[in-house]
Amino acid sequence: MHEPDPLHDAVFEKVKAHAEARDPATRDAAALLRQAWDGMIGQLQEARDAIDDPRLWPPPATPRNLAEGYRYVLGFLYGSISRCLGPTPEFPYFVRAIQPLNRSTIDNCDAIYLMAPIDGNHSYTIRGRAGDTSAWRGGQAPAGVRKAPHYVIFEAPSGYSGESGSLKELKPGSRINCAELDCTELKVEADGSFEILLAPEKPPGYEGNFMLTRASRTRRNKDGVSETREYVSQLVMLRELFCDWENEDLLELFIYRNDLLGQPMPACTPEAAARQIADIGRFTRNQVHFWNEFYAVVCECYGDMNGDGKCFMPRNDVNKPNAASLATAGGMATNVYCGGMFELADDEALVVELHQPVEPVYIGFSLGNIWGESLDFANYQSSLSGLQAHRDADNVYRCVISHRDPGIANWLDTTGQPEGYMAIRWAYPEKPMDKLPWATAKKVPLAEVRRHLPAATRTITPQERRRQIAIRQEHVQRRYRQH
C-alpha cells in the first residue's frame, strides 16, 4: 500500500496549481500537442497491426519473421523521426533515408540512401567533395588513394514512394523525377569538389551542374484525352553505391536554399511540433501498410494475385529484366532490375547466373528477408558487387545461394532465412533496351553444387572468408559512422 509522502503531495499540488493558472495560449498549446501525440500513438498502433493482421498483407508468421517484423516497424518509426524532426525545405540537410537501423524496400546492400527535403519552387545549391573519381569516367584509381563511391546519382522526385499508404499512388503520372544527375555526367574539379544548382528554371548562360526542380509532363489518358500536369520536387534523393568496400569513402555534402544561406532557422512552435508529431505517425503507418500490400499484391511474393498463373517474383527463379520507374514505387532511375524469391532447405542451393551483354557502370546482387529488409551485410556475405564477385571467362557471374558455406567465392549467405528476396541491379546511364542484361536461377542439392559450376570456379578458404567479413564490418561502420 502506498505510504503518504507529504513532500511529494506538496510538490504535486504546486504543479497542479501552476498548470491551472496557465495563460490561454499555453493551455491551447498543451491541448494541441497532446492531441497530436495521441494521434501519433494511434498511427503507430496501426503500423504495428500490419505485423500480424491478415487483412494488412503481412508475411507468413514464424518466430524470426515476427521478431524482424517488430524491428521493421520500429525502423520506419526511426526513419520518420530522423526525417521529421530534422531538416526542412527551408533549412535542408541530408539524412539517411535507409540504413541498417531502418532497412526496407528491398534495399541495396551496396548503397547509402540520403534524402533532403526541398521546395522545388525555390533554388538550392549542393556543394560536395569526393575522393578519386576515376571510376566515374570508366578508369581506375592510382594505387593507394582513397576513392569516391563507385557510382553516385542525384534525383529530384515530386514525391516519396509509399507516402500515401495506398497502391493508388502507383497510377502513372502520380509523380515524376523532375531531374536526374549521375556521376558519369557530374562535372568535378581536380580536387574532387563539385557544385550543383537546383532550381525551377535554368539561369540563362549557366553551364555548371544543374537539376530542374519543376517540370511539366503531358500524358494521354485511357479516353484518349491528353492532360498536362506540372510537378514540383519535394526532395533530393541521393544514392552512393560502393563496390570496393575496402577503399571507397562517402561524399562530403552541404545543401542549402540559396536565399536563406546564413539565416537562422526559426525556433520551434507548438504548431510546428504538432505537425512533426503527426507526420511521424502518418509516415510510419502509411509506409508499413503500403509496402506490405506492394509485396503481396504487386510483387506476388506469396502467390498469384492477378490470375495469370505465375508470380511477378517467382520462387527459386528470377523474372525478366525491368527498368526502374516512380510508377512502380521508385528505384534508381538508371537501374535495370531482375529478382525473385529464394526458398531453400538446409541441403539445397540456388545457382544464379548474371549475364550482361552490354557492360553496365554498376552490378549488385543482394538478398533480403521477407519484410524487404536487406539481410545483415556487415557480418555475413549476403551481397556481392561486380567488383567483389568473381567473373568467369565467359563474362558470366555465377553465384551460389545457400544456408551453409560451400567454399565458393561467389557465395551469398541466407543468414539462416529459409526464404527471402533476391535483387539484382545493373546500372546504365543509357539503357541498352535491345540488349538488356538478364539472370537465371537453378535449384540444386548443396552437396552437388560444384557439378553445376565451371571447373575454374574460384574457391575460398575459411580464413579468406573471415578476412572478407572483416573488410565488410569495417566498411559498414565507416559508411554509417556516428562519430
Side-chain angles (χ1 to χ4, degrees):
M1 185 174 180
H2 176 69
E3 295 292 335
D5 185 343
L7 179 60
H8 175 274
D9 292 343
V11 172
F12 174 77
E13 291 299 327
K14 189 173 182 179
V15 172
K16 180 180 178 184
H18 178 72
E20 292 173 348
R22 290 174 181 167
D23 64 274
T26 302
R27 289 198 298 270
D28 290 347
L32 174 67
L33 291 165
R34 179 173 285 277
Q35 182 181 24
W37 183 270
D38 291 344
M40 178 189 70
I41 296 301
Q43 297 270 34
L44 297 183
Q45 182 60 47
E46 290 185 27
R48 191 232 65 85
D49 291 343
I51 296 172
D52 52 21
D53 185 338
R55 296 170 296 179
L56 299 177
W57 311 101
T62 68
R64 180 167 172 177
N65 283 350
L66 288 171
E68 293 182 343
Y70 275 89
R71 180 187 67 191
Y72 175 70
V73 172
L74 288 171
F76 272 116
L77 173 59
Y78 177 89
S80 297
I81 291 173
S82 173
R83 173 182 170 191
C84 295
L85 294 188
T88 67
E90 296 76 25
F91 295 88
Y93 57 86
F94 284 102
V95 297
R96 294 168 185 154
I98 298 174
Q99 59 183 308
L101 291 177
N102 65 317
R103 291 172 289 179
S104 58
T105 69
I106 317 180
D107 52 302
N108 185 353
C109 298
D110 289 325
I112 184 167
Y113 296 80
L114 302 176
M115 66 82 62
I118 65 170
D119 176 353
N121 293 305
H122 298 271
S123 64
Y124 297 78
T125 296
I126 297 173
R127 296 180 190 167
R129 187 180 298 274
D132 184 273
T133 59
S134 299
W136 295 1
R137 304 292 182 265
Q140 289 188 343
V145 304
R146 302 302 299 176
K147 299 189 289 186
H150 183 80
Y151 182 75
V152 171
I153 183 170
F154 295 85
E155 298 170 303
S158 63
Y160 207 93
S161 297
E163 207 83 308
S164 68
S166 169
L167 292 183
K168 292 179 181 178
E169 72 177 57
L170 299 181
K171 178 183 176 182
S174 60
R175 60 179 178 268
I176 66 167
N177 268 332
C178 292
E180 303 148 11
L181 178 64
D182 78 352
C183 57
T184 66
E185 297 181 335
L186 187 67
K187 299 173 183 177
V188 182
E189 301 297 328
D191 64 355
S193 64
F194 59 88
E195 189 170 290
I196 306 170
L197 173 64
L198 302 94
E201 296 178 359
K202 188 174 183 178
Y206 184 82
E207 296 182 354
N209 296 306
F210 178 76
M211 296 182 69
L212 196 65
T213 59
R214 195 166 59 199
S216 296
R217 296 287 189 275
T218 300
R219 296 180 182 274
R220 186 178 297 275
N221 298 325
K222 291 182 178 180
D223 59 7
V225 177
S226 294
E227 179 183 8
T228 299
R229 176 180 170 185
E230 185 176 82
Y231 300 84
V232 178
S233 299
Q234 296 183 17
L235 66 148
V236 179
M237 176 64 74
L238 166 63
R239 288 173 174 84
E240 303 176 34
L241 305 187
F242 299 87
C243 285
D244 180 358
W245 287 21
E246 195 168 11
N247 298 300
E248 294 172 356
D249 292 325
L250 296 165
L251 300 178
E252 297 177 15
L253 294 166
F254 175 41
I255 182 173
Y256 56 88
R257 205 175 98 173
N258 292 334
D259 60 333
L260 294 177
L261 179 63
Q263 297 291 323
M265 186 174 185
C268 189
T269 65
E271 292 76 18
R275 285 195 300 270
Q276 290 171 330
I277 293 167
D279 284 346
I280 288 170
R282 178 169 58 88
F283 292 160
T284 303
R285 182 264 183 204
N286 286 357
Q287 289 285 341
V288 172
H289 282 219
F290 174 86
W291 289 105
N292 264 24
E293 189 173 2
F294 181 83
Y295 299 143
V297 177
V298 177
C299 294
E300 301 178 297
C301 294
Y302 318 125
D304 177 20
M305 297 295 293
N306 61 10
D308 65 357
K310 56 185 179 181
C311 296
F312 179 75
M313 296 284 272
R315 293 271 162 160
N316 292 328
D317 201 356
V318 290
N319 53 26
K320 294 180 180 180
N322 56 91
S325 166
L326 285 180
T328 54
M332 195 170 80
T334 52
N335 266 353
V336 172
Y337 290 95
C338 190
M341 307 287 292
F342 69 84
E343 183 178 8
L344 298 170
D346 190 57
D347 60 351
E348 295 177 327
L350 206 60
V351 176
V352 182
E353 295 187 355
L354 279 60
H355 300 257
Q356 35 284 319
V358 176
E359 187 67 14
V361 297
Y362 163 79
I363 302 171
F365 190 1
S366 300
L367 301 184
N369 69 7
I370 206 73
W371 295 98
E373 297 179 307
S374 58
L375 297 182
D376 181 350
F377 51 82
N379 302 296
Y380 300 83
Q381 187 169 285
S382 60
S383 69
L384 285 170
S385 72
L387 292 183
Q388 292 169 333
H390 171 70
R391 191 192 310 232
D392 289 325
D394 58 358
N395 194 38
V396 176
Y397 288 96
R398 292 176 174 86
C399 304
V400 175
I401 301 173
S402 63
H403 303 307
R404 289 181 284 124
D405 191 343
I408 302 298
N410 287 359
W411 173 51
L412 283 91
D413 191 343
T414 67
T415 74
Q417 273 286 12
E419 59 180 341
Y421 292 97
M422 302 179 287
I424 304 166
R425 296 167 167 92
W426 298 270
Y428 292 94
E430 293 186 10
K431 295 184 177 70
M433 300 307 294
D434 57 338
K435 293 184 178 180
L436 288 177
W438 78 94
T440 63
K442 180 180 181 181
K443 188 172 74 170
V444 302
L446 179 61
E448 300 175 10
V449 71
R450 299 199 184 192
R451 299 182 187 176
H452 300 271
L453 298 169
T457 294
R458 181 174 293 176
T459 59
I460 193 170
T461 67
Q463 293 76 21
E464 291 171 323
R465 184 78 74 197
R466 186 167 180 173
R467 166 61 181 158
Q468 289 181 337
I469 297 300
I471 291 172
R472 299 174 79 91
Q473 291 169 332
E474 181 180 355
H475 166 79
V476 170
Q477 285 195 31
R478 188 170 68 250
R479 193 198 302 183
Y480 301 102
R481 60 180 177 262
Q482 301 288 342
H483 52 82

